[in-house]
Amino acid sequence: MPDAIGVDAVQRLPWEVVGVIADEKVDNLGGKGDNPGIYVSNQQSPVFFQSLVVRTAMDPSGLKQALGKAVHEINKDQTLTEVKTIDQIKAESTASNRLQSMLLAGIGLALGFGGALGLTRLFG
């Protein structure tokens, strides 16, 4: 008798590791590289969203249609969303750090300007 929907069936599956990585970037590309990880099949550990990573020596912008065709040959109902290059992913990953740095610099400049103005009025 399963203790939750599908849990009993998943526990009886033989586990097969399909990938191992020593320094997985979980949250963002700027994270520390000491996160070991393993990958198992979607049947063993279902998730709602999947990622497909493709390495190519050619311009990646021309691959979207070919990748879509290959995916549809396997599953006609599957769609590709958010097709991005690694440069786009890196830019998005570091964008919040840049924004925080710019805000902090702006606050520092405002405080410095205010302090200089105060000293000028005090001694001027």
Side-chain angles (χ1 to χ4, degrees):
M1 178 174 191
D3 50 352
I5 297 174
V7 170
D8 190 46
V10 170
Q11 289 175 347
R12 286 183 284 150
L13 287 173
W15 281 81
E16 178 183 359
V17 175
V18 296
V20 178
I21 189 165
D23 59 349
E24 184 176 34
K25 306 292 189 230
V26 179
D27 296 326
N28 61 46
L29 293 173
K32 299 212 181 338
D34 58 352
N35 297 312
I38 62 167
Y39 294 91
V40 296
S41 71
N42 192 55
Q43 187 178 16
Q44 293 172 155
S45 181
V47 293
F48 292 108
F49 300 98
Q50 296 289 320
S51 296
L52 173 66
V53 179
V54 178
R55 179 181 285 182
T56 178
M58 60 183 283
D59 179 20
S61 62
L63 288 178
K64 183 177 180 180
Q65 186 175 10
L67 289 172
K69 184 179 177 185
V71 168
H72 289 135
E73 286 177 7
I74 297 169
N75 182 349
K76 65 179 178 65
D77 297 323
Q78 184 64 50
T79 60
L80 289 180
T81 59
E82 296 190 53
V83 176
K84 300 176 186 177
T85 65
I86 193 67
D87 291 333
Q88 291 170 322
I89 294 170
K90 285 179 183 177
E92 290 173 5
S93 176
T94 58
S96 64
N97 291 341
R98 276 195 307 266
L99 178 61
Q100 290 174 356
S101 297
M102 289 173 54
L103 288 174
L104 187 60
I107 291 170
L109 284 172
L111 289 173
F113 180 73
L117 183 63
L119 287 174
T120 304
R121 289 192 179 197
L122 182 65
F123 294 112

